Amino acid sequence: MFQQEHDSRRPSTMGESVASSATSFNGSVHVQFSHDATTSDAGGLVLREALDNSGVIAALEKHLVDTRNPLRVRHSLASQIRTVVLQRAMGWEDLSDTALLGSDPLWQLACSDARGLSPLNMPRPSQATLSRLITCLSHPRNIDTVHEGLLHLAIWRLQCLPEVGTYRADQPVTLDVDGLPIEVFGHQGGSDYNGYAGARIYSPLIASIAETGDMVGGLLREGNAGSAQHADTWIPHLIQRLMDGMNRDVSQFRVRLDAGFTDGVTLQALDDHAIAYLGRLKSNAVLQEKASPYLNRPAGRPPEVPREWYHDLEYQAQSWASPRRVVLIVQENPNDLLLNTFFLVTNLDRYHYPPEKVLALYRQRGKAEAHMGELKTALNLHLSSTDRGTLTVQEVMARNQVNLLLSLYAYQVLHCVRGVMERRTGQGWSLVKTREQVLKVGATFTVHARKVRMRLSAAANKWWPRLLPGIRRLPPLPG
């Protein structure tokens, strides 16, 4: 229990007395309020450096349509987008948090367009201002630009290699596509109860690069959308944009899918665009009949460890226009009476991708799912725009689409810093660990003439000497 007492050693201001509180467990510990210019988010400046090097804010500002009256603009679109992205990356996920951080000098400096000491004397945008930003970005003339910005961030981070990872530029690119249910707690337009998720949700599609963990796309869909809805047009578009941005041809890309996406429409679209794919098939009676000749255990005593074997099949589902290559995987566990089977469909050629290589490639999907889990936990994805007032369902969906993309922006910036730490320390880092141990550092600001000095707390001594050289080496995106 804190006991309040007067601190006579500290001078009062304007005739007011300054009180301190002593802790009951140790009377030598006194707690006082201070008006010193301090922050606990020193890493926000590191994120600003990475964001500026990417060039995404400048690209957005160049192409976005700002419908506001220029004479009444107090906060540029660029400064507002920085505010939302950087705060979400640092764990301040609500628009109202900007008011809570209004007097924090770090956030005044990190989000502003202005140079010198000017940001310290400028007010920060309000929740209402940032809400209008979301409305502006969700305008039909702007939302495609916001989508492109996420691709811009991913392509820039890939071009920062090897500063942020060990991925080689000549490696194939595997695009993982999956649904990511996001629960909502109101009557957001387009959300619906989903029996599989057991909640009222949106059902967005998320696309990530498996080898690097970069998020390249997010497409918001209604809560009752089918698993593969819109995938047939969205995936080829993403592949084409990645090809353009990375200067590669289609043979260097492949798509990995879950069982919900291996319908005839999606697979046909990928075939039509010559895009390689592999995905899991839902089992059925026809597939089990085709597999039956291969379900005999090898001769000899059953082993004490699990084993598996593979076979190539040809199969045509009712929704497919022609037969496709299907890989049968048979698994035997010592303690199971029956064999376990599952099926993968692919258009990868048999010579370069025999069955065991197809299976090995599919099993790497677990890494992509781990990145998706980080996206939900570290960014606390939530979509809260509702149909209050005169907003239509389409307008609510567009606002929540923008909110989803801005959270993916925050993931990408945080992921870039994580990559620098992994490269510089030679160990793995989660997004949460990067934020809590590296970026959430205390600092004190002092103003000297025309300079602002930020003095970091001792907690920064462990990691920042390795982090800062890596951040300085991040190159800007050419062009």
Side-chain angles (χ1 to χ4, degrees):
M1 181 177 181
F2 289 99
Q3 299 176 346
Q4 187 171 345
E5 58 182 25
H6 176 68
D7 186 356
S8 60
R9 293 172 295 179
R10 181 170 179 175
S12 60
T13 303
M14 299 294 291
E16 298 177 356
S17 60
V18 179
S20 65
S21 299
T23 58
S24 58
F25 67 86
N26 188 339
S28 298
V29 179
H30 292 254
V31 179
Q32 283 188 331
F33 295 101
S34 170
H35 296 288
D36 295 338
T38 61
T39 185
S40 61
D41 291 329
L45 290 184
V46 175
L47 296 178
R48 167 69 187 268
E49 283 289 301
L51 192 62
D52 278 2
N53 281 348
S54 74
V56 67
I57 299 297
L60 289 173
E61 193 172 33
K62 181 179 179 180
H63 294 97
L64 289 173
V65 177
D66 189 351
T67 58
R68 297 176 296 174
N69 183 344
L71 300 178
R72 303 185 65 180
V73 171
R74 297 183 62 188
H75 304 282
S76 68
L77 292 181
S79 66
Q80 293 180 61
I81 295 172
R82 280 193 211 100
T83 298
V84 175
V85 172
L86 296 183
Q87 287 185 182
R88 289 187 183 183
M90 289 294 289
W92 302 96
E93 65 236 16
D94 293 324
L95 298 183
S96 57
D97 289 334
T98 189
L100 180 64
L101 303 171
S103 59
D104 189 317
L106 179 284
W107 289 109
Q108 291 174 302
L109 293 166
C111 300
S112 177
D113 296 327
R115 302 297 182 96
L117 306 181
S118 300
L120 297 176
N121 300 313
M122 298 171 63
R124 302 200 66 216
S126 65
Q127 178 183 2
T129 298
L130 296 180
S131 182
R132 288 191 290 271
L133 167 71
I134 303 300
T135 300
C136 174
L137 297 182
S138 66
H139 192 279
R141 289 183 291 178
N142 286 332
I143 199 162
D144 286 342
T145 301
V146 184
H147 278 282
E148 290 295 314
L150 180 60
L151 276 164
H152 178 115
L153 269 175
I155 293 170
W156 166 74
R157 210 195 75 87
L158 290 172
Q159 294 190 3
C160 286
L161 303 174
E163 290 303 321
V164 295
T166 58
Y167 177 70
R168 299 196 319 271
D170 59 342
Q171 285 182 270
V173 176
T174 305
L175 191 71
D176 273 293
V177 179
D178 207 349
L180 186 68
I182 298 178
E183 187 172 1
V184 300
F185 299 95
H187 296 283
Q188 288 85 340
S191 64
D192 205 344
Y193 181 82
N194 185 288
Y196 182 78
R200 188 180 184 89
I201 65 166
Y202 282 118
S203 182
L205 287 178
I206 304 293
S208 63
I209 297 178
E211 291 80 9
T212 63
D214 289 279
M215 300 292 166
V216 298
L219 180 67
L220 189 66
R221 304 181 304 172
E222 296 84 355
N224 59 1
S227 299
Q229 187 172 325
H230 304 312
D232 59 318
T233 55
W234 188 62
I235 297 175
H237 171 75
L238 284 179
I239 294 291
Q240 184 61 54
R241 288 294 295 111
L242 288 170
M243 289 166 52
D244 296 341
M246 300 173 69
N247 194 25
R248 293 190 175 199
D249 59 55
V250 70
S251 66
Q252 295 175 292
F253 291 86
R254 57 200 179 195
V255 178
R256 191 161 48 200
L257 305 164
D258 203 355
F261 297 89
T262 51
D263 63 304
V265 175
T266 303
L267 297 185
Q268 187 61 53
L270 298 179
D271 283 329
D272 291 343
H273 290 84
I275 299 171
Y277 60 81
L278 70 157
R280 187 156 180 167
L281 273 181
K282 295 178 180 178
S283 181
N284 57 47
V286 176
L287 282 172
Q288 289 297 335
E289 182 179 353
K290 285 182 173 290
S292 59
Y294 308 102
L295 300 185
N296 297 318
R297 285 184 169 86
R301 192 177 186 86
E304 296 181 358
V305 295
R307 60 180 174 179
E308 60 187 13
W309 52 95
Y310 334 93
H311 296 280
D312 264 321
L313 307 174
E314 190 175 80
Y315 167 71
Q316 181 176 356
Q318 290 184 352
S319 61
W320 298 355
S322 59
R324 289 188 168 91
R325 179 190 178 192
V326 171
V327 176
L328 163 68
I329 296 94
V330 184
Q331 297 174 324
E332 179 187 38
N333 294 308
N335 298 324
D336 291 345
L337 180 62
L338 301 177
L339 298 174
N340 180 45
T341 62
F342 65 94
F343 305 87
L344 301 176
V345 60
T346 182
N347 61 356
L348 295 169
D349 68 275
R350 289 178 172 84
Y351 179 77
H352 293 98
Y353 289 91
E356 59 272 19
K357 191 173 181 180
V358 173
L359 176 60
L361 180 58
Y362 182 78
R363 281 178 168 160
Q364 293 172 14
R365 181 175 171 81
K367 184 178 179 181
E369 291 176 345
H371 287 125
M372 297 270 279
E374 275 198 311
L375 173 63
K376 288 197 73 170
T377 56
L379 276 301
N380 189 24
L381 277 181
H382 62 284
L383 303 174
S384 57
S385 291
T386 65
D387 53 359
R388 292 174 296 180
T390 59
L391 292 179
T392 65
V393 171
Q394 291 75 19
E395 289 170 334
V396 173
M397 287 283 291
R399 284 176 56 86
N400 280 322
Q401 171 70 77
V402 168
N403 271 314
L404 173 64
L405 290 171
L406 292 179
S407 292
L408 293 176
Y409 279 37
Y411 171 96
Q412 278 298 113
V413 178
L414 196 54
H415 183 47
C416 178
V417 176
R418 183 250 296 274
V420 172
M421 287 301 300
E422 289 181 339
R423 188 69 172 172
R424 292 277 164 170
T425 63
Q427 66 185 59
W429 287 79
S430 69
L431 293 185
V432 172
K433 182 180 177 182
T434 301
R435 183 169 61 204
E436 301 302 325
Q437 293 192 18
V438 180
L439 301 179
K440 285 284 188 179
V441 172
T444 302
F445 290 84
T446 55
V447 179
H448 298 283
R450 299 172 68 179
K451 288 186 177 181
V452 181
R453 296 190 181 276
M454 184 175 75
R455 294 178 59 87
L456 299 173
S457 67
N461 294 343
K462 184 175 183 181
W463 301 121
W464 279 58
R466 302 188 217 184
L467 172 65
L468 291 180
I471 294 296
R472 286 194 292 266
R473 288 173 63 92
L474 295 177
L477 185 69

